[in-house]
Amino acid sequence: MEHLPPPAEELVLIDRELARLDMRRSQLLTRRAWLLSVLRAPGPAPAAPPGAWGAPSAPPAPPRPSAPAVRTRSAQNVLLTLGGLLLTIAAVAFTLVSWGQMGIGGRAAVLTAVTVAALSAPAVLLRRGLSSTAEALAGLASVLMVLDALALYLVVVPDAGAGYAAAASAVLAALWAGYGLVLDRLRLPLPLAVAGAQLPLVLWAWAGEADALVFALALLATAALDCAIAVRSKGAGVRVTACAGLFLTGGAGLLVALAQSLSAGGPAGAVAPGALLLAGAVIALAGVRRAPVALAVAGGAVAGLAAVAAVGGVLAAGVPDGWAVQVYLVCGGLVLLGVRAPLGRPAGRGLVGAAGSVTAASVLFAAAPVAVVLVGPVAQLGRLWSGTPDDGVRGALGAAGLPWQDMAAAPVVLLSVAVALGAAFRFWEGVERYAGPVLSPGPGLRTAAGASAVVTGWAGLTLLPPALDVSYAAAVASQSVLVAGVLAGAVAALRRGPAGVALTAWVCGSAGAAGVALLALGSEPATYAVFGVLLLLFAGAATALEAPGDPSRSPVVMTVQAVMACAAVVCAAVLAVASGASLGLTSYEAAPVLLVVPAVTAGLGARLKGRPVALPLELSGVAVGVAAVVAALGDPPFLALVLALCGVLAAGTALRPERRQAAGYLATALFVLASWVRLSASGVSSPEPYTLPVTVPALVVGVLRRRRDPSASSWTAYGAGLAVTLVPALVAAWAGPYWLRPLLLGAAALVITLLGARLRLQALLVLGGAVLALDALHELAPYVVQVVGAMPRWVAPALAGVLLLAVGATYEKRLREARRLRDALGRMR
């Protein structure tokens, strides 16, 4: 057998072991610090500190390695760069400052000599292996060539303007290109040639004061040259420069062409911009097969968008305003036909992204009118039962002044997108076969397509009534049918499992139900009709989702069922309030009518005992009961009646074993509160004659209950009986000016408190002590006010500070005392 020492002895052993481990750790840390000092110090090893090993007798530590020298190549590059920069600055200063002090011949001779020398030197240096020096002088020569062109402009052709700049940039680009091809070991001239080639065509268009289309043509031609260089060049610097130029000039050209296409006055005017856009699409696709993946995807996307803008711009120019979006949407769908083209997988992904971008932009176009339709019904809260609006559903939505003729295509756009996505969801195997070479569709994409189809289809159908300007009654009826259909489909799908499409349909149906419910508040018949239909719909949905005895049901489905049941309760409450308003009842007079709803939910809760939906249903009924109490606050007699009726409902619920404790306490509190409100409403200033006849038999019943069931709580046995008298008496004592009632109440509370302490009954101790404390506070309040008024103002904060210091200094002790008091109260019955 294993011997286990007593706890005290084992604790001593553990403390000793922990101390030994701390000592060992300290020794190891000391040794580590000494070893680090040996490795870092340049001289002989320092003496070892006292520790586990002592000072070592090993040979002295090796000398500290010197810092590595600066690499020769790096230093050479820095020096050459600084030298080239200084020479460039000197050349610029000479051109700008000293140029005017020399004659024509001197100027030409100086510049020619310096430039020829700078261009010739790299060839000699490269043969001798001085490539860095050659690069520096090549950069200087490039700057000198630009200065030569500037000097020639200032002296020979000062009036040439942009035409000279175009010719000079073309010549310089050609010279740099030839120089870089001859001296192919230099890395700077060819990228400079590519950079210079970005300017000639644009500057020639500027010099000729060309229109926007010619500028776009010049930019796209430059982009085509950049694309060819990027595809065929082998140098990394040249490719990077060409790609940067391609993005800049190609993007600018496409934007200019797009602006011209959108502003065209007719199909004929959109042909030329469309041709430029198609040319841009061809340029974007020219090098996608040899480009990196990211660039190929971007090229495919740009090509797809440019093609949509080109074809759609020509077609949209001939349709009415507002319908152009539908044209672009159709063209975006046609782009997907290019997925099977031999462009490579990345470019195909870019085409799919372009089609998706066009679709998303089309849906965003329709988002504004959909938001109006969804938010507009809130306006009915300010015009409850004001009658059918004269200007149809647009007036009911508060949107009669909107330009609906420009938004007429919005529902068509949404429904077209819904049909396309729904077809993809339905025939997903075909989509996978068609797009397999480009994409890898999975179940997540299919769910996203189905959910998006549901959302766009529901939004399009919701937008149809105001777009068609139908009547208020027709809009309410059509929206009710739509909500019923969507929720029915969602429930049917949820019965098979919590799929994403089914949940999306349920969310859309719920949002539509809220919208049509708010819309129906403008008319009394519509309110009864819509809320009645919604009540049956939600109740039927909650019933359809019920699956007793199925432990594998998803929590999501159970949550949906609970929400449906609560929504049905809300609809029933609205119908109850509407019936009271139709009968001409005030809010407090209609409160008892509203209690029919919690009565029904309590009965349904008993019928659905043990099922997950029972508790949310009953809690919804409780919320309606609270609303009834709030509605009755304006009239105390009706408030007492409503509280008593709520107590009856709670007492009936307490007959069920699983609700007995919570409902029993609630029923007791409601009955007591109802009696207090009734006494207050009757103007009773001395409540004891009315409450004592209730308290005495209640206490007798409590005594009998405790004899039969000693484990029963004192709150159950005596709490209600004592509170019926003590609380009204306390209120009367605080409100009355006489001394006899506080004296008698204090004496009774003292007796109850002592009995509670003697018999260890929590209810008597807490109620009696609380009433006694409040009664004493009432009696001492005038004297406390006098004392406070007589004290200097600094005394109160000083006393508060002293109290806080005292409590803080003995915080642990006070905490233990509070815990002991809590435990003592908890042990009482």
Side-chain angles (χ1 to χ4, degrees):
M1 294 178 62
E2 183 180 1
H3 174 68
L4 295 177
E9 184 179 350
E10 185 179 1
L11 181 61
V12 172
L13 293 176
I14 291 175
D15 290 338
R16 289 177 182 173
E17 188 65 21
L18 290 175
R20 189 178 298 109
L21 290 174
D22 290 339
M23 184 181 299
R24 181 63 175 166
R25 184 175 184 273
S26 177
Q27 292 175 353
L28 293 175
L29 289 175
T30 304
R31 180 68 178 176
R32 181 179 181 275
W34 181 83
L35 291 173
L36 290 175
S37 65
V38 169
L39 293 174
R40 294 173 180 171
W53 289 280
S57 59
R64 183 181 180 184
S66 59
V70 179
R71 288 186 296 178
T72 305
R73 181 70 64 181
S74 300
Q76 181 186 13
N77 290 337
V78 172
L79 294 176
L80 291 175
T81 302
L82 291 176
L85 180 63
L86 292 175
L87 288 175
T88 302
I89 294 174
V92 173
F94 169 77
T95 303
L96 297 178
V97 177
S98 302
W99 184 260
Q101 301 176 3
M102 302 177 63
I104 297 296
R107 300 170 187 175
V110 170
L111 278 176
T112 301
V114 174
T115 303
V116 170
L119 289 172
S120 303
V124 179
L125 294 173
L126 287 175
R127 284 196 298 270
R128 297 186 178 183
L130 301 176
S131 57
S132 298
T133 308
E135 290 285 354
L137 288 179
L140 174 63
S142 302
V143 176
L144 290 175
M145 293 172 71
V146 176
L147 293 177
D148 289 341
L150 176 63
L152 183 63
Y153 167 74
L154 294 175
V155 174
V156 179
V157 285
D159 300 328
Y164 174 80
S169 59
V171 171
L172 287 175
L175 291 176
W176 283 332
Y179 187 69
L181 291 175
V182 172
L183 301 178
D184 55 355
R185 293 172 58 187
L186 293 176
R187 292 175 294 178
L188 184 62
L190 288 179
L192 283 177
V194 175
Q198 311 302 312
L199 300 176
L201 295 179
V202 178
L203 292 176
W204 271 323
W206 185 15
E209 298 181 354
D211 57 6
L213 288 178
V214 177
F215 265 103
L217 178 60
L219 289 168
L220 291 175
T222 306
L225 176 63
D226 292 330
C227 182
I229 294 174
V231 170
R232 298 187 176 276
S233 177
K234 297 181 180 180
V238 177
R239 288 200 304 269
V240 171
T241 306
C243 288
L246 173 62
F247 297 153
L248 181 62
T249 57
L254 288 175
L255 289 177
V256 173
L258 177 62
Q260 293 297 309
S261 176
L262 294 176
S263 61
V271 171
L276 292 177
L277 290 169
L278 287 177
V282 173
I283 294 171
L285 292 175
V288 292
R289 295 191 65 85
R290 299 180 59 182
V293 174
L295 293 180
V297 172
V302 171
L305 293 175
V308 170
V311 180
V314 176
L315 299 177
V319 300
D321 293 339
W323 289 92
V325 176
Q326 180 67 26
V327 174
Y328 284 109
L329 178 62
V330 174
C331 294
L334 295 177
V335 168
L336 294 175
L337 298 177
V339 169
R340 305 285 296 202
L343 300 174
R345 182 184 178 93
R349 290 171 55 189
L351 291 177
V352 174
S357 301
V358 174
T359 304
S362 303
V363 173
L364 286 178
F365 160 78
V370 171
V372 171
V373 173
L374 293 180
V375 179
V378 180
Q380 298 300 316
L381 295 175
R383 49 185 301 271
L384 296 175
W385 288 7
S386 58
T388 303
D390 296 332
D391 42 4
V393 66
R394 294 179 181 177
L397 296 174
L402 294 180
W404 286 100
Q405 65 278 5
D406 296 334
M407 298 186 292
V412 180
V413 169
L414 292 172
L415 293 176
S416 301
V417 173
V419 169
L421 294 175
F425 177 78
R426 175 64 179 84
F427 305 103
W428 190 250
E429 293 78 8
V431 173
E432 289 182 332
R433 288 194 300 269
Y434 182 80
V438 176
L439 297 176
S440 298
L445 284 177
R446 183 183 185 188
T447 301
S452 301
V454 170
V455 173
T456 52
W458 167 76
L461 293 175
T462 303
L463 192 57
L464 271 181
L468 298 177
D469 196 16
V470 301
S471 64
Y472 172 77
V476 171
S478 62
Q479 293 302 303
S480 301
V481 173
L482 174 62
V483 168
V486 173
L487 285 179
V491 170
L494 286 171
R495 286 172 60 88
R496 297 190 295 269
V501 179
L503 289 175
T504 304
W506 174 70
V507 171
C508 292
S510 301
V516 74
L518 291 173
L519 192 64
L521 294 177
S523 171
E524 182 176 0
T527 301
Y528 283 107
V530 170
F531 278 93
V533 170
L534 291 179
L535 172 60
L536 296 176
L537 187 61
F538 288 135
T543 304
L545 291 175
E546 181 66 24
D550 184 6
S552 62
R553 268 210 313 167
S554 169
V556 176
V557 176
M558 290 191 290
T559 302
V560 171
Q561 182 190 18
V563 173
M564 293 282 198
C566 296
V569 173
V570 172
C571 292
V574 172
L575 289 175
V577 173
S579 62
S582 297
L583 295 174
L585 303 177
T586 59
S587 60
Y588 59 85
E589 291 174 340
V593 179
L594 192 58
L595 291 180
V596 174
V597 177
V600 174
T601 58
L604 289 175
R607 182 74 176 82
L608 300 172
K609 178 175 58 177
R611 298 181 185 177
V613 74
L615 182 59
L617 188 68
E618 293 180 73
L619 291 178
S620 301
V622 171
V624 176
V626 172
V629 172
V630 173
L633 289 176
D635 188 85
F638 266 95
L639 178 60
L641 173 62
V642 171
L643 290 172
L645 292 175
C646 291
V648 171
L649 294 176
T653 304
L655 296 176
R656 296 160 52 191
E658 71 275 9
R659 302 281 188 261
R660 180 166 299 163
Q661 186 173 6
Y665 286 131
L666 180 61
T668 302
L670 288 171
F671 282 133
V672 172
L673 188 59
S675 63
W676 294 343
V677 173
R678 182 67 260 183
L679 291 175
S680 175
S682 300
V684 175
S685 59
S686 299
E688 293 83 1
Y690 300 93
T691 57
L692 283 175
V694 178
T695 296
V696 173
L699 294 178
V700 172
V701 172
V703 171
L704 296 176
R705 169 70 186 278
R706 289 273 296 174
R707 285 182 179 179
R708 294 181 55 187
D709 184 12
S711 63
S713 170
S714 61
W715 289 100
T716 304
Y718 309 119
L722 291 174
V724 166
T725 294
L726 289 179
V727 177
L730 180 63
V731 174
W734 272 74
Y738 304 107
W739 58 272
L740 181 59
R741 176 179 282 109
L743 177 62
L744 296 176
L745 178 62
L750 178 61
V751 172
I752 294 172
T753 304
L754 295 176
L755 285 175
R758 177 68 179 82
L759 301 176
R760 302 182 62 79
L761 297 176
Q762 190 181 98
L764 275 67
L765 181 63
V766 173
L767 282 175
V771 172
L772 181 62
L774 292 174
D775 186 65
L777 179 62
H778 172 265
E779 294 303 307
L780 294 176
Y783 304 103
V784 173
V785 172
Q786 292 178 4
V787 171
V788 171
M791 285 193 309
R793 295 187 177 182
W794 58 267
V795 174
L799 292 176
V802 171
L803 178 62
L804 291 176
L805 288 176
V807 172
T810 60
Y811 174 74
E812 293 295 334
K813 182 179 179 181
R814 299 292 172 258
L815 188 60
R816 288 194 298 270
E817 292 174 351
R819 289 172 178 168
R820 284 198 296 269
L821 177 60
R822 181 197 63 188
D823 295 338
L825 283 175
R827 287 191 295 269
M828 292 182 177
R829 298 299 302 171

